[in-house]
């Protein structure tokens, strides 16, 4: 059906089969992404040579059989047995997320407590049945989407429960309905990003939510963590796309009305957005869609002075031009990405639209950047029509292309550095514009000093702005340093603690889009108002009276 007729369509059996068809590639159980995309040993050694103090040779790729995973502490009842597996490889793959500390724990053979069982329900009834059984047997339930958490959000820590069930939602991976005229769709929570877009593409629509984890994360995971997408301005947070949600809790199922907007009291959806599986299991949602963009233009601007670049980004963010991309890389980050090698900071700008050419918008943004000291060389056009903005796209320059390639490759390179015993990880935050310059300088200085003290080797602490708003921005930091052999996770914990103290002192959020999980929990407790914490604990007690849902996340 085209985008001009009809109201609602439902996928055919062929669509459903395609959505459920497994990929031929194998996911890495211990590291990021696809197992066949990780750097080879020689590349790991070459990267390690750039950081003095790393290992002479890479740590071996870990094997599940070396973990010594024992028999599960519980067995599922016959009525649920077809949904559940105790396969050691499956349990190992669901034991942790994909943070740096998760990777180095796996490399050192210390992944922590593996779940006793992994369940893959296919509908709400099966989710409810699993929760009922888990509550009766004192089994902790950890909801699991794509497993891309970088904050300890999908692992169990502690021993308060007799067993742990990883509740994998990816068998619930279909687009159930598409309202073409209303530009919305009802989508199951376990739908992975690529499958979601593949199922929407025949309708000419897109959710337009592309976090860096897009390939390995799900709609439910985005909702549960209040994820931010790739786009730097405008509607980039998943919150902006939600019409209604369906959430299964031990106390019953919450289904909000599908509405364009409502002023009827506190929003029920807001209770579950960002709840990280601690209050209920998100099983589906109606989300707002957009027509797929056809007009695109992008360019890069170099700055000698990083503070001039900050002022330029603030001007663009307050201009109402609403670029799709407005990502500022400091000199270190630009060097890593191959966007500049002369010590310049680089601003990556991009515009897109489904309706009209965008070249004029890009030109106006470039004017604002130049007014603050930015340098931009003309971009070779992909034909005269494209250069005028009349065609579907304007060609991107080399710096933009280099940044895009590095953006997708970086998690794999991080894992390669981890094999060399290096500390290689990121953390992100957000603050108002008046605090941004001091915050960035304090993080660079104090985390760098802490790394030198912890390892005896200097660290690179780089920064980029991933999202910008009229009133502030979201800095994203990369830390690269040699670790302490065998103690890499502890080094990262030390650096994370220092960074979190800097954020707290500058009244910057403990996370802009990575979620709270277990890693950010102590600092989240300090950030949230006490009355809100009281209400959240009350909600947890009412919805999850036996305390089985993702224990340790958000509330005790």
């Amino acid at each position: 059906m085209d985008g001009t007729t009809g109201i609602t369509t439902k996928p055919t059996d062929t669509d459903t089969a395609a959505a459920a068809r497994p990929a031929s590639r194998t996911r890495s159980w211990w590291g990021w992404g696809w197992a066949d995309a990780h750097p080879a040993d020689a590349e790991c050694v070459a990267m390690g040579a750039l950081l003095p103090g790393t290992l002479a040779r890479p740590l071996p790729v870990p094997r599940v059989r070396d973990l010594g995973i024992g028999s599960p502490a519980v067995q599922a009842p016959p009525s649920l047995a077809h949904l559940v597996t105790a396969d050691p490889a499956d349990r190992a793959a669901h034991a942790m997320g994909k943070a740096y500390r998760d990777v180095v724990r796996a490399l050192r053979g210390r992944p922590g407590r593996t779940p006793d069982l992994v369940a893959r329900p296919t509908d709400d009834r099966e989710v409810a049945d699993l929760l009922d059984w888990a509550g009766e047997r004192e089994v902790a339930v950890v909801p699991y989407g794509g497993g891309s958490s970088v904050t300890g959000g999908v692992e169990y820590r502690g021993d308060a429960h007799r067993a742990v069930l990883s509740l994998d939602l990816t068998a619930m991976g279909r687009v159930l309905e598409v309202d073409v005229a209303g530009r919305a769709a009802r989508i199951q929570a376990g739908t992975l990003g690529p499958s979601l877009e593949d199922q929407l593409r025949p309708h000419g629509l897109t959710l337009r939510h592309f976090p860096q984890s897009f390939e390995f994360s799900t709609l439910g995971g985005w909702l549960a963590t209040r994820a931010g997408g790739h786009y730097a301005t405008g509607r980039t947070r998943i919150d902006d796309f939600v019409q209604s949600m369906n959430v299964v809790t031990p106390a019953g199922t919450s289904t909000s009305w599908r509405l364009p907007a409502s002023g009827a009291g506190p929003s029920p959806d807001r209770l579950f957005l960002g709840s990280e599986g601690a209050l209920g299991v998100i099983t589906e949602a109606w989300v707002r869609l957009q027509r797929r963009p056809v007009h695109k233009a992008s360019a890069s601007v170099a700055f000698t002075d990083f503070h001039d670049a900050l002022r330029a980004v603030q001007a663009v963010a307050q201009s109402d031009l609403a670029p799709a991309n407005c990502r500022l890389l400091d000199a270190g980050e630009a060097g890593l990405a191959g966007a500049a090698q002369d010590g310049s900071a680089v601003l990556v700008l991009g515009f897109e639209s489904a309706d009209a050419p965008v070249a004029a918008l890009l030109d106006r943004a470039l004017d604002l950047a130049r007014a603050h000291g930015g340098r931009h060389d003309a971009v070779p056009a992909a034909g005269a029509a494209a250069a005028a903005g009349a065609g579907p796209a304007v060609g991107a320059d080399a710096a933009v292309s280099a940044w895009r390639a590095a953006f997708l490759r970086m998690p794999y390179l991080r894992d390669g550095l981890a094999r060399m015993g290096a500390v290689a990880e990121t953390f992100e935050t957000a603050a108002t514009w008046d605090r941004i310059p001091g915050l960035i300088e304090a993080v660079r200085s104090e985390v760098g000093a802490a790394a030198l003290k912890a390892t005896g080797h200097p660290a690179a602490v780089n920064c980029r702005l991933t999202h910008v708003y009229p009133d502030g921005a979201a800095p994203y930091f990369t830390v690269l340093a040699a670790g302490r052999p065998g103690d890499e996770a502890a080094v990262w914990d030390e650096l994370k603690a220092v960074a979190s103290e800097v954020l707290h002192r500058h009244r910057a959020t403990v996370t802009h889009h990575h979620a709270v999980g277990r890693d950010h929990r102590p600092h989240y407790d300090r950030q949230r108002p006490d009355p809100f914490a009281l209400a959240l604990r009350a909600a947890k007690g009412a919805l999850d009276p036996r305390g089985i849902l993702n224990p340790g996340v958000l509330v005790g």
Side-chain angles (χ1 to χ4, degrees):
M1 179 180 291
D2 64 30
T4 59
T5 61
I7 296 296
T8 302
T9 66
K10 295 187 178 182
T12 65
D13 291 340
T14 302
D15 296 330
T16 301
R21 190 177 299 126
S24 58
R25 300 176 76 183
T26 301
R27 287 279 302 273
S28 171
W29 74 267
W30 63 272
W32 183 261
W34 301 113
D36 60 10
H38 281 267
D41 287 3
E43 187 178 359
C44 293
V45 171
M47 289 190 293
L50 301 176
L51 288 175
T54 54
L55 302 174
R57 61 179 64 88
L59 295 168
V61 172
R63 301 177 300 184
V64 172
R65 64 176 178 267
D66 294 334
L67 300 179
I69 297 175
S71 299
V74 294
Q75 298 292 330
S79 60
L80 300 174
H82 64 292
L83 303 174
V84 172
T85 178
D87 176 68
D90 233 350
R91 293 163 64 188
H94 287 76
M96 301 179 299
K98 301 302 181 184
Y100 166 82
R101 71 188 314 276
D102 300 330
V103 171
V104 296
R105 286 156 58 204
L107 287 169
R108 294 293 183 180
R110 301 191 292 263
R113 182 169 177 176
T114 57
D116 295 87
L117 300 171
V118 176
R120 290 183 173 85
T122 62
D123 58 30
D124 283 17
R125 180 68 263 165
E126 291 174 350
V127 171
D129 289 344
L130 286 161
L131 294 185
D132 288 344
W133 167 75
E136 294 168 357
R137 299 298 301 274
E138 299 179 2
V139 174
V141 178
V142 180
Y144 188 100
S148 59
S149 169
V150 292
T151 61
V154 295
E155 68 176 277
Y156 180 87
R157 298 178 188 171
D159 55 6
H161 295 79
R162 63 180 299 193
V164 180
L165 174 73
S166 179
L167 190 67
D168 187 320
L169 275 295
T170 53
M172 301 173 67
R174 293 184 296 148
V175 173
L176 299 173
E177 296 182 64
V178 179
D179 178 352
V180 177
R183 295 204 311 201
R186 182 166 69 97
I187 305 174
Q188 289 183 307
T191 309
L192 288 156
S195 176
L196 184 154
E197 288 295 329
D198 286 346
Q199 293 179 73
L200 294 177
R201 189 170 288 105
H203 304 282
L205 298 170
T206 174
L207 180 59
R208 195 180 177 269
H209 183 78
F210 302 108
Q212 189 176 28
S213 63
F214 170 77
E215 193 174 7
F216 307 107
S217 56
T218 63
L219 174 64
W222 303 338
L223 297 169
T225 60
R226 294 186 65 199
H230 166 77
Y231 294 98
T233 69
R235 288 194 293 177
T236 187
R237 302 197 67 84
I238 196 65
D239 313 37
D240 302 326
F241 300 96
V242 176
Q243 277 189 333
S244 69
M245 289 168 54
N246 199 74
V247 186
V248 177
T249 82
T253 298
S254 171
T255 304
S256 59
W257 287 12
R258 181 191 169 202
L259 297 167
S262 175
S267 166
D269 294 333
R270 289 283 172 182
L271 178 64
F272 296 107
L273 283 167
S275 62
E276 301 190 35
L279 302 181
V281 180
I282 300 169
T283 58
E284 65 179 58
W286 274 97
V287 292
R288 299 178 178 92
L289 306 176
Q290 302 171 61
R291 288 190 293 126
R292 304 186 73 82
V294 293
H295 303 276
K296 299 181 181 181
S298 59
S300 65
V301 186
F303 291 83
T304 301
D305 186 275
F306 183 69
H307 291 279
D308 287 343
L310 286 175
R311 287 186 282 272
V313 172
Q314 183 176 357
V316 173
Q318 294 175 345
S319 68
D320 293 329
L321 291 173
N325 202 356
C326 185
R327 196 163 293 227
L328 175 62
L329 317 179
D330 72 3
E333 198 74 9
L336 282 177
Q341 300 297 335
D342 61 356
S344 296
V346 174
L347 172 60
V348 178
L349 288 167
F351 289 83
E352 63 178 42
S353 172
D355 302 303
V358 294
L361 298 175
L362 176 61
D363 287 343
R364 177 59 185 143
L366 290 172
D367 287 343
L368 290 172
R370 292 189 191 100
H372 290 83
R375 308 183 307 277
H376 169 68
D377 296 327
V379 179
V394 173
D397 62 18
V400 175
S401 299
W403 169 79
R404 285 176 178 155
F407 179 76
L408 297 174
R409 183 64 176 155
M410 191 58 68
Y412 293 102
L413 300 182
R414 178 207 66 177
D415 291 357
L417 283 168
R419 290 186 62 199
M420 297 303 299
V423 173
E425 184 56 304
T426 60
F427 62 93
E428 39 73 57
T429 184
T432 51
W433 281 115
D434 59 315
R435 299 178 185 275
I436 288 292
L439 168 66
I440 293 174
E441 291 306 315
V443 169
R444 285 173 174 161
S445 173
E446 296 183 38
V447 173
L452 179 61
K453 180 180 179 181
T455 69
H457 298 282
V461 183
N462 302 326
C463 177
R464 65 183 184 265
L465 300 187
T466 61
H467 300 76
V468 296
Y469 306 90
D471 52 348
Y476 193 107
F477 297 92
T478 301
V479 181
L480 298 171
R484 291 196 302 261
D487 208 18
E488 296 89 353
V491 171
W492 176 244
D493 289 343
E494 293 171 26
L495 301 186
K496 185 76 168 179
V498 171
S500 297
E501 286 299 326
V502 175
L503 302 186
H504 187 75
R505 191 170 71 244
H506 286 261
R507 295 184 69 83
T509 181
V510 71
T511 177
H512 172 263
H513 58 268
H514 278 175
V516 175
R518 292 164 178 82
D519 294 343
H520 290 151
R521 172 69 193 283
H523 303 281
Y524 170 70
D525 286 355
R526 298 169 64 192
Q527 176 181 324
R528 67 186 179 192
D530 290 340
F532 177 76
L534 182 67
L536 189 58
R537 284 193 291 269
K540 172 73 169 177
L543 296 171
D544 181 24
R546 289 171 167 160
I548 62 170
L549 285 174
N550 219 1
V553 168
L554 296 185
V555 294

